[in-house]
Structures are given as C-alpha cells and as structure tokens.
Amino acid sequence: MKKSVFLGTLTVAGLAAGMAAAGTLEDVQERGTLNCGVSTGVNGFSAPDANGVWQGFDVAICRAVAAAVLDDPMAVNFVPTTGQTRFTALASGEIDMLARNTTWTLSRDVDLGFTFVGVNYYDGQGFITNRELGVSSATELDGATVCIQTGTTTELNLADFFRANNMTYEPVPIETNAEAQQQYLAGACDTYTTDASGLAATRASFSAPGDHVILPEIISKEPLGPLVRQGDDEWADIVRWTLNALVAAEELGITSTNLDQMTAGTDNPEINRMMGTEGSLGEMLGLEADWAVRAIAASGNYGEIFAANIGEQTPVGLARGLNAQWTQGGLMYAPPFR
Amino acid sequence: MAMDSGAPTGSFRLSMLLYDTRYRSYTIQIFALFLLMLGAAWLVDNTIRNLAALGKDFSFSFLWNVSGYDISQRPIEYSSTSTHARAAWVGLLNTLILAVMACVTATVLGVIAGVLRLSNNWIIGRLMTIYIETFRNIPALLWIVVFGAIMAESMPAPRDFRGDTPEATMQVFDSVAITNRGVYIPAPQFERSLGTLDLGFVAPSLDAIAFILVVVLSIWANKRLIAHATKVQNATGVRPKTWWKSILILFGPAIVLLVALGFYLDYPALAGFNFRGGIHMRSSLIAMWLGLSFYTGAFIAEVVRGGIMAISKGQSEAAAALGIQPGKTMRLVILPQAMRVIIPPMISQYLNITKNTSLGLAVGYMDLRSTLGGITINQTGRELEGMGLMMLIYLLLSLLISSAMNLYNNRVKLRER
C-alpha cells in the first residue's frame, strides 16, 4: 500500500511538472506544425477554399510564421475560433498565435495577458444596410435592429456610438459571421455592424452585393493584428519580426518573384541583413539565417498578400488606404532591420 | 506491537488492515478518499500555478465594473453603463422568464400528448407517437435553431407592413404583429398607474401585484362561499344558488380595480424601423420557448403515459362500473393517482428545461450564459471566476427547483400509515 501511495504521489508530481510551460518556439519545432487560431470563415481574411486549403490575409501571416520557423508554409494547423472562444484558446495554449482580425486594445493587451505583435490591418467599425431602407448615414439608425458578433469590441463601440448620439437600438447578438450574414439577409436585422473590412468581405459573398450599402461612418479605430500569449517574449519577437519582414519587404521592393535575385546579394545592406547574407539577425531570433526569405516566399510581401486576398482586384475590393506603406501616405511602417 | 493492551478481540496487527474483513473496507475507503483528495489538491494546485504563470489573479471585482454592452431583453432597468453584476442579473432574470414559460407550456403539451397517445382513436394515438418520437430523438439545440430559422426566414419583415397595399398585415383585429424580429402583442397599461416597486434588483409593477392580490382574494372568497353552500346543503338538504354570487365575487373586484386604474391596451404600431409599443416577444425568446417546450414536452408525455399505465386497469373499470364518464374517470380517478408516479421524473424534466435555457446563445437569447458566461467573460477575460459563478448559480437554481417540487411531491404522494 505504501508503495502505491508513493507511486500515486510520483504520478501527481510528474503531471504537475508536465504542466509547466516550455518555450513556444521549442514546442512548435518539436510538434512540427504551428497551431494558428483563425476565424470561422471571413472571405479574404481566413476561409478554406474549394479544396479545403485555408486562404486569406490572416492565413498568410500564419503561413509566413510557419515558413520562418519550420521551413514549411503548409505546416499550419488552422484552428477556427469564434469571437468568444479565441482568447481562451490562446490563453490555454491550444493555439500558438491568433491571427483573427482581432482589435488591439489596452485591456486585451494588459489585463487579458496577451501581446499584440503589431498591426496587419488598420480598420474601423462600419454599418451595412439594405439600399431599400434608404438610410444614408449611421446617425439615421435610431430604433434599428442591429446584428452584432458577440464577444467583440464592436459590441462595445456600438453601445458607445448609440449612447453618444442619443439613439436607441435593438441588439441581436450572433456568434459567427456566417450566422450574422444569414440573419441580415433574412431581414431579421436592419443593419449589420463589424469592421469595415469584414463588411466588404461579407458583402462580396452576397448574391447581389449592389443591393447593400456600407454607410460612410466609421465609428471606431480597429487596429487588427496577430497576438500571442504574454510571457514568451522570444516567440512574440519571432511573430512580430515576421510581420515586420513582410512589411519591410514591400518597402524595399522584395517580392516573391525577385526573391532569388535579392538572396544572391545586393548593394543594399538592409536587404542583405534581412535575407541573411549579412549579419546574424536570424540567429538573434533563434531561427535560421534565411528565415525572412522563407517567410516572404510563403505568399509574398505585405503588398502582395494584400492584393491577392483583399485588394481592389479581388471580390472583397478594399483600397490600401491607411494600410499603404508610410512612404505612400499610409501607416505601414516596419522598424529597421539592424 | 503497541496494540497488545489487552483488547478483548485479541491483538491488532497492521496486516489485519488488509486481510481482516472487519478492517479491510475501512482501509479501502480511506485509501480512496486519500486519492480523491490528492486529485482535488492537484487540480487546485495546477489552477493556482497556471494562473500565476499567466500573471492572473482570482478576483470577483470585475463584477462591479461598467459592462459597456447592451442587452436586448431587459426585464429591469439596464444600460451599457450598468455593471457586469447587473448584466448577469438581467441574464438570470431572462433565464428564469424563459424557464417558467417553457415549463408551463411543456407541461401542458406533455400532459395532452401523453394522454392522447393512449387514446383508442388510432389516428390520434399514432399522431402523438410521431410527435413524441421526432421531438424526443433529435437534439434540443437543433429544434431551437429550426424554430429560430422559421422565425427569421419565413416571417415578414416590419417593412412589409408598410404602404397602402402591404405584403403583410397584423393578426387578431390588428392587434398582434408577427414579424421576423419577433411577435408584438398588446401590452396592458394603466392611465392611473400605481407605478413600480423598485427594489433595486427587481422592479415589479405595483399594478400587477394589486391585480394578482385581488384575484387571489376573490378566489379565496369564492371558495368560502362554496364551502358555506355545502354546509347549508348538509344541514338542510337544499343547496343555495351560488352561481351568480360566484361570478360577482370572481370578476367584480377585478373589473372594479381595472376601471379604477384606467386599464387600456397599448397596441403595437409601426414606427421607424420597427414596431413600437406593445410587448415585444423577440424571435430568440420565441425560438427558445417553442424549442424547449416541444422538446421537453415529448419527454413529459412519456412520463405522463408511464404514470397512467402504472394505474391498474381495475381502477378505470371500477369507475366505469360506477357510471363515471371516461373524461371524468381520467380527471378524477386516474390522473390524481398517476401524479404520484409522474411527479418525481417531472422534477428532472423541469431541471432539464432550466439548464437547457443555456442554449440561448444559439439564437441570440440573452440569458445568464450569454451575458455573464459569454460577453462578460469575453470582455474581462475572467473565465475561471465567471464560469465558477455561473455554475454556482445554475446549481442553486436547480436545487431550489427540485426542493420546491419535492415539497409538492410530499403533498401528493401516497401516505402510508
């Protein structure tokens, strides 16, 4: 009996020790795949295509990180999360990073214990309504029934906006974008509100997009970006600088087509440092020297990713706007690679 | 050994703990308890460790912060500037409203379906079998979503009621509007209202309280009247006429009260995007209500059928021999006895309804799960506290319901003397 108690205690101690968190980078490398949290399906941002392969603007960030860390952009296990489940999934370690149009706010960064590694899309909350209603401004929405995705910042912005404008509304809380779309199209709500990019993406999937109008008011700032758990700075740095590499690559003119040429060596020392032919930036991050090359090779630089998934040539049709490079009057600005 | 102190049962040896049947069960139980405690200690320790690793503390102070979100169905005063605690309370009230509504309709449906399934009429019996088997064997969530979809997809939008030749019109003398946002019914209003009794956490309408009080008193007075009539009948053999007195007592005071308070009905009317006025029963409430009622009603029907079949055939034969009509036999002979069998499983059906209200999020019904367990947890990141609190509330609620039902069960159960 004594022996079994001893064994029992040992098992308990062993289990407890197993719970102590190891570095995320080691975990990912050992596992051989990156667990990346994405949405349950927003066209252009993250949605599986006809072959079941995840595609999109947020998906491309996951692929770039997987390429940088594991040298295989396809070694990503995409975990669809809702507005409600995403933070628990990240906090519990079910996913290594979250790229799910998530707004960077102080309380999420500080109180929820996450680290936002940057912004990959500067967005703002808007409204979509049916043209038939004849509404031309969000301030005419007094008394309207509004569909919202629950568990998001849009829920809070909406309450603030209507209170500030002294209007009433009837909130219809909904779990996922697809359900919201269905409710909105069925006319169960007069308007659907979410980030303007999400509205454009949603409208693109309607059978008659022209019947719906996105109202001009943008009622909030929504800097969307990937995030990781707080407390593993090494991992946060890797995700942060992978994103920065994509942005810097566009600024420096590195694209997926001229990547070989750039890797061969150029006159620009910053490009050389990024490509790993000069200096030891990769080593500092705990990665191989060509990490940035692999990240860019995955789906191109930031501009290419934008154009391929949500740009003006796609059904989503978003202009670069605030998301242009800082040299083009936008806000995309990567710190120096030095 | 130190135990050889002259105990009459002989000396105690340590090995007896394992080999002596007198002690072995204690050994096993203590060992099992020890393992259980170790398991619990590990869970707690693990939680504390992981919370520390995440840099989180365990505190309920978030409940007093401003919630910042709105709730569609508000039985009491609530706005986005209220606290999370108040949001949770609103959610709990919504849970209770839904649970009570669903329990009542599920019981009515279940009793009818259960009795009719035993009907000698082949078509009625089979129809009830089909109802029971389809609803009982498909998950509650699917039924809720089906009713939600019916409300959202097939009912007319408020804008269809507009215009000179509207696509949709209001029902029941233009008083009820069925739209895809819910059903609007006339609301009872009072010109000289007594106001509401604001207790902070609940705000019941004084008019409603006064009305219920008057009705209860009237029923009591009527009972006294009938008792008096029976007494006179027993004494003299002649039963005095009471029907007009009964009507007067039952309806007189209530009508006088309604007139005194200036009762009128507030009809819903189309204004702006939606209907205004009247009582708005949201699609989410209706979907949950119908879904839970039909689903649990099928279970209750089986419970009722089982209860009735537990009563021996001799009872109905005896009733028939006494010349009691079949309907009365069911009402006066079979059902009162069947109740003793029916009530205990009914308790668990009511508990099921109460717990299944937490499926509300599927159709956007703002119950406790959607407010405290959904938005609040999501906005504050207090999963452990929020979930713990929610589990505690559901536990208390369920215990309350089952103890209330047990009281009733004790009243109707067979008394053995």
Side-chain angles (χ1 to χ4, degrees):
Chain A
M1 197 185 104
K2 262 187 185 163
K3 196 186 258 176
S4 35
V5 172
F6 175 70
L7 281 176
T9 323
L10 206 68
T11 326
V12 168
L15 279 171
M19 292 304 295
T24 313
L25 177 60
E26 284 78 43
D27 283 352
V28 172
Q29 281 169 340
E30 201 175 303
R31 204 189 302 130
T33 54
L34 172 75
N35 290 335
C36 192
V38 288
S39 74
T40 49
V42 177
N43 274 337
F45 284 87
S46 47
D49 64 11
N51 302 319
V53 181
W54 284 84
Q55 302 288 356
F57 187 69
D58 282 334
V59 166
I61 304 291
C62 302
R63 295 221 187 276
V65 172
V69 175
L70 301 164
D71 196 12
D72 179 8
M74 301 312 281
V76 189
N77 174 26
F78 289 99
V79 180
T81 57
T82 68
Q84 291 224 7
T85 58
R86 56 183 163 178
F87 296 129
T88 321
L90 183 60
S92 66
E94 186 187 343
I95 52 177
D96 303 310
M97 61 177 282
L98 180 67
R100 190 204 174 276
N101 356 49
T102 301
T103 307
W104 186 352
T105 68
L106 184 138
S107 63
R108 285 173 178 179
D109 200 340
V110 179
D111 194 37
L112 297 193
F114 299 125
T115 299
F116 281 83
V117 299
V119 176
N120 68 343
Y121 192 91
Y122 288 95
D123 209 341
Q125 184 177 343
F127 295 90
I128 189 170
T129 64
N130 196 309
R131 231 173 254 287
E132 260 180 45
L133 287 180
V135 175
S136 59
S137 155
T139 51
E140 296 167 16
L141 287 173
D142 192 10
T145 306
V146 185
C147 278
I148 25 165
Q149 270 193 67
T150 182
T152 59
T153 48
T154 54
E155 204 163 35
L156 308 180
N157 297 331
L158 183 70
D160 288 354
F161 175 76
F162 274 82
R163 188 149 60 92
N165 287 290
N166 205 12
M167 302 192 296
T168 57
Y169 70 106
E170 165 85 18
V172 178
I174 281 157
E175 267 250 72
T176 65
N177 191 48
E179 278 174 59
Q181 205 170 309
Q182 182 205 340
Q183 293 274 325
Y184 169 71
L185 286 177
C189 34
D190 298 305
T191 173
Y192 173 42
T193 179
T194 187
D195 298 337
S197 64
L199 288 181
T202 305
R203 185 171 65 168
S205 65
F206 290 171
S207 54
D211 291 352
H212 303 272
V213 56
I214 295 176
L215 300 179
E217 281 84 359
I218 296 292
I219 64 168
S220 68
K221 287 190 290 186
E222 307 282 337
L224 310 179
L227 56 154
V228 298
R229 270 185 303 284
Q230 195 166 299
D232 190 350
D233 291 348
E234 192 192 9
W235 178 247
D237 285 339
I238 290 171
V239 182
R240 175 178 300 122
W241 283 96
T242 307
L243 176 61
N244 284 338
L246 298 179
V247 174
E250 188 190 12
E251 186 191 342
L252 297 168
I254 309 170
T255 66
S256 52
T257 46
N258 68 5
L259 204 55
D260 291 338
Q261 194 186 325
M262 293 289 183
T263 328
T266 61
D267 298 336
N268 186 334
E270 181 153 25
I271 294 180
N272 292 348
R273 278 195 297 274
M274 231 171 95
M275 299 290 102
T277 46
E278 257 180 62
S280 56
L281 294 182
E283 197 186 312
M284 292 177 198
L285 283 169
L287 300 173
E288 279 153 50
D290 63 342
W291 65 280
V293 181
R294 305 196 303 219
I296 297 163
S299 17
N301 64 31
Y302 180 82
E304 288 175 273
I305 294 172
F306 195 104
N309 294 300
I310 52 175
E312 277 165 337
Q313 304 305 317
T314 65
V316 179
L318 291 169
R320 281 297 285 270
L322 285 176
N323 298 293
Q325 288 288 333
W326 63 287
T327 48
Q328 310 287 321
L331 292 172
M332 282 296 154
Y333 182 105
F337 277 74
R338 182 172 287 285
Chain B
M1 291 299 307
M3 293 298 285
D4 56 351
S5 51
T9 51
S11 67
F12 178 82
R13 280 166 282 107
L14 205 55
S15 62
M16 283 165 75
L17 280 178
L18 210 50
Y19 297 114
D20 191 323
T21 46
R22 282 174 299 171
Y23 302 113
R24 185 159 50 200
S25 60
Y26 288 109
T27 315
I28 294 172
Q29 284 176 40
I30 288 171
F31 181 63
L33 181 70
F34 184 67
L35 279 186
L36 193 72
M37 279 161 56
L38 263 184
W42 174 69
L43 279 178
V44 171
D45 176 67
N46 193 13
T47 310
I48 293 172
R49 252 176 232 251
N50 277 309
L51 278 179
L54 286 169
K56 283 188 174 181
D57 57 347
F58 189 84
S59 145
F60 283 98
S61 55
F62 71 95
L63 283 174
W64 311 114
N65 294 344
V66 168
S67 66
Y69 61 90
D70 281 301
I71 297 176
S72 48
Q73 181 176 308
R74 298 179 294 268
I76 54 167
E77 197 74 25
Y78 172 86
S79 75
S80 57
T81 49
S82 306
T83 61
H84 281 297
R86 191 147 180 108
W89 177 244
V90 172
L92 178 59
L93 288 179
N94 284 344
T95 293
L96 289 174
I97 289 171
L98 175 60
V100 169
M101 285 171 67
C103 280
V104 170
T105 32
T107 311
V108 172
L109 267 175
V111 171
I112 293 173
V115 171
L116 288 187
R117 194 178 177 182
L118 291 169
S119 165
N120 290 326
N121 185 318
W122 191 87
I123 295 178
I124 291 179
R126 289 302 156 292
L127 273 178
M128 288 304 131
T129 309
I130 291 170
Y131 156 65
I132 290 169
E133 295 306 334
T134 37
F135 274 87
R136 205 161 62 118
N137 294 310
I138 292 175
L141 181 62
L142 296 188
W143 284 119
I144 290 167
V145 172
V146 164
F147 283 111
I150 291 174
M151 285 304 291
E153 303 280 350
S154 55
M155 299 300 163
R159 63 170 174 266
D160 294 340
F161 289 80
R162 219 182 289 274
D164 294 328
T165 51
E167 289 170 44
T169 49
M170 289 167 76
Q171 319 283 324
V172 199
F173 310 116
D174 265 4
S175 63
V176 176
I178 301 173
T179 74
N180 57 0
R181 283 104 193 251
V183 176
Y184 296 80
I185 56 172
Q189 295 286 342
F190 300 94
E191 274 166 25
R192 295 174 286 278
S193 172
L194 298 172
T196 55
L197 183 65
D198 197 355
L199 300 173
F201 52 95
V202 276
S205 149
L206 280 174
D207 306 311
I209 293 177
F211 185 72
I212 291 168
L213 211 66
V214 165
V215 168
V216 168
L217 281 176
S218 307
I219 291 173
W220 177 76
N222 186 45
K223 266 194 173 163
R224 287 294 303 269
L225 177 75
I226 287 168
H228 175 75
T230 312
K231 213 168 131 192
V232 170
Q233 187 182 16
N234 288 345
T236 65
V238 182
R239 189 175 180 85
K241 274 209 168 59
T242 57
W243 62 268
W244 61 274
K245 287 183 198 157
S246 277
I247 290 176
L248 209 62
I249 290 175
L250 280 179
F251 296 100
I255 291 170
V256 168
L257 179 78
L258 290 182
V259 170
L261 291 176
F263 175 81
Y264 67 99
L265 282 174
D266 181 23
Y267 291 102
L270 199 56
F273 289 99
N274 289 313
F275 279 89
R276 296 261 168 97
I279 295 175
H280 180 194
M281 294 165 75
R282 287 169 181 78
S283 296
S284 51
L285 174 68
I286 298 207
M288 286 300 293
W289 180 33
L290 294 182
L292 289 180
S293 300
F294 278 102
Y295 175 76
T296 318
F299 284 90
I300 291 179
E302 286 297 87
V303 169
V304 169
R305 187 171 70 107
I308 292 172
M309 287 175 79
I311 308 303
S312 80
K313 206 162 188 288
Q315 295 279 333
S316 46
E317 283 170 356
L322 286 172
I324 303 177
Q325 293 154 355
K328 278 192 171 170
T329 307
M330 180 56 77
R331 204 156 46 83
L332 299 173
V333 179
I334 310 289
L335 275 183
Q337 297 186 75
M339 284 303 256
R340 294 174 187 142
V341 185
I342 293 172
I343 302 251
M346 281 288 253
I347 301 177
S348 36
Q349 294 306 331
Y350 288 159
L351 293 182
N352 275 346
I353 288 183
T354 311
K355 287 178 288 179
N356 282 343
T357 55
S358 59
L359 296 170
L361 190 60
V363 285
Y365 185 70
M366 298 301 273
D367 66 334
L368 185 68
R369 160 75 182 82
S370 307
T371 56
L372 173 67
I375 307 176
T376 292
I377 284 187
N378 207 271
Q379 305 292 6
T380 60
R382 300 281 176 181
E383 294 96 354
L384 202 63
E385 294 92 331
M387 281 294 167
L389 192 61
M390 202 166 66
M391 285 162 75
L392 189 72
I393 293 173
Y394 276 117
L395 178 70
L396 288 178
L397 202 58
S398 297
L399 288 177
L400 268 176
I401 292 170
S402 57
S403 53
M405 287 297 290
N406 275 327
L407 280 181
Y408 180 61
N409 187 33
N410 284 338
R411 237 164 53 88
V412 298
K413 83 174 174 199
L414 197 62
R415 283 185 187 76
E416 291 172 347
R417 296 189 174 93

